[in-house]
Amino acid sequence: MNKAELVAKIAETCEMTKKDAENAVNAFLDIVEKQLKKGEKVALVGFGTFDVSKRKARDGRNPKTGESMRIPASKSPKFKPGKALKDAIN
């Protein structure tokens, strides 16, 4: 399912226009992004938690040339599903 299909499904389920559903989806995504940028977690009880994982700088190799290189520290978003979501899938 892509974003357009999600918007259409939300509009159908909630009996709202696609424009309103798209605004709601965009607002949700913007809020999650802003909170993660600030280093905050976004926890939706039963569904899951969005968080930021920090990776330390490390040495690596270029797979093409075999040359040693330094990989800088970075942050990466992660999602941990909640128990209710796991149970619903299984």
Side-chain angles (χ1 to χ4, degrees):
M1 174 179 278
N2 62 31
K3 185 176 175 183
E5 293 168 339
L6 177 63
V7 167
K9 200 64 145 169
I10 290 172
E12 178 186 323
T13 303
C14 296
E15 298 178 358
M16 58 176 31
T17 66
K18 284 186 181 180
K19 180 85 172 154
D20 289 341
E22 184 175 13
N23 288 340
V25 170
N26 287 337
F28 172 77
L29 295 175
D30 289 343
I31 291 167
V32 170
E33 181 181 329
K34 286 176 185 172
Q35 292 304 307
L36 293 178
K37 279 183 180 179
K38 290 194 299 189
E40 307 260 335
K41 286 184 183 180
V42 178
L44 304 171
V45 176
F47 183 73
T49 304
F50 296 92
D51 200 3
V52 176
S53 168
K54 295 175 184 162
R55 296 181 185 171
K56 294 180 182 177
R58 63 193 189 280
D59 293 324
R61 294 206 176 273
N62 181 332
K64 191 171 186 178
T65 64
E67 182 182 335
S68 182
M69 58 189 286
R70 187 75 177 155
I71 301 170
S74 65
K75 295 178 184 177
S76 178
K78 67 179 183 176
F79 175 75
K80 182 180 177 190
K83 184 176 180 345
L85 180 59
K86 288 181 191 175
D87 291 346
I89 293 171
N90 293 318

